[in-house]
Amino acid sequence: MKAELNINSKKLELIQWLSTIEDLSVLNKIIDLKKQENKDWWISISENEKQSIEKGLQDAEAGKLNSHSKAKKIYDKWL
């Protein structure tokens, strides 16, 4: 609950500060930051990463899945 109160307090502080800004360049920087935060991660990953994800989804739909215990055995040396 304390963390939520802290977040809400920070939001209110930002809203109050934002309402006082008269400098258009500062407002544009804030808008740019907002656009970056809303950017779809799919756009920012490589084609190889997209293909790997697509293949994984196709494998999952086809029932080609491994159990958690099997995956753990395979990758345990890196975990």
Side-chain angles (χ1 to χ4, degrees), residues 4-35:
E4 184 178 315
L5 183 63
N6 192 26
I7 289 172
N8 287 333
S9 173
K10 289 189 181 294
K11 287 178 183 179
L12 286 172
E13 184 180 329
L14 283 170
I15 290 168
Q16 289 172 342
W17 170 73
L18 189 59
S19 70
T20 66
I21 296 174
E22 298 293 333
D23 187 338
L24 187 57
S25 67
V26 173
L27 291 171
N28 285 331
K29 287 177 186 178
I30 295 168
I31 290 168
D32 289 343
L33 178 62
K34 181 181 178 281
K35 286 178 184 175

Side-chain angles (χ1 to χ4, degrees), residues 20-71:
T20 66
I21 296 174
E22 298 293 333
D23 187 338
L24 187 57
S25 67
V26 173
L27 291 171
N28 285 331
K29 287 177 186 178
I30 295 168
I31 290 168
D32 289 343
L33 178 62
K34 181 181 178 281
K35 286 178 184 175
Q36 281 183 327
E37 290 295 314
N38 291 335
K39 188 192 252 186
D40 186 355
W41 61 268
W42 185 259
I43 295 169
S44 64
I45 64 175
S46 72
E47 280 303 314
N48 285 340
E49 291 168 317
K50 288 177 185 176
Q51 290 173 3
S52 292
I53 291 170
E54 294 284 349
K55 182 170 180 348
L57 291 172
Q58 289 171 359
D59 286 348
E61 288 174 9
K64 298 178 186 175
L65 302 171
N66 288 317
S67 67
H68 174 71
S69 58
K70 184 174 180 181

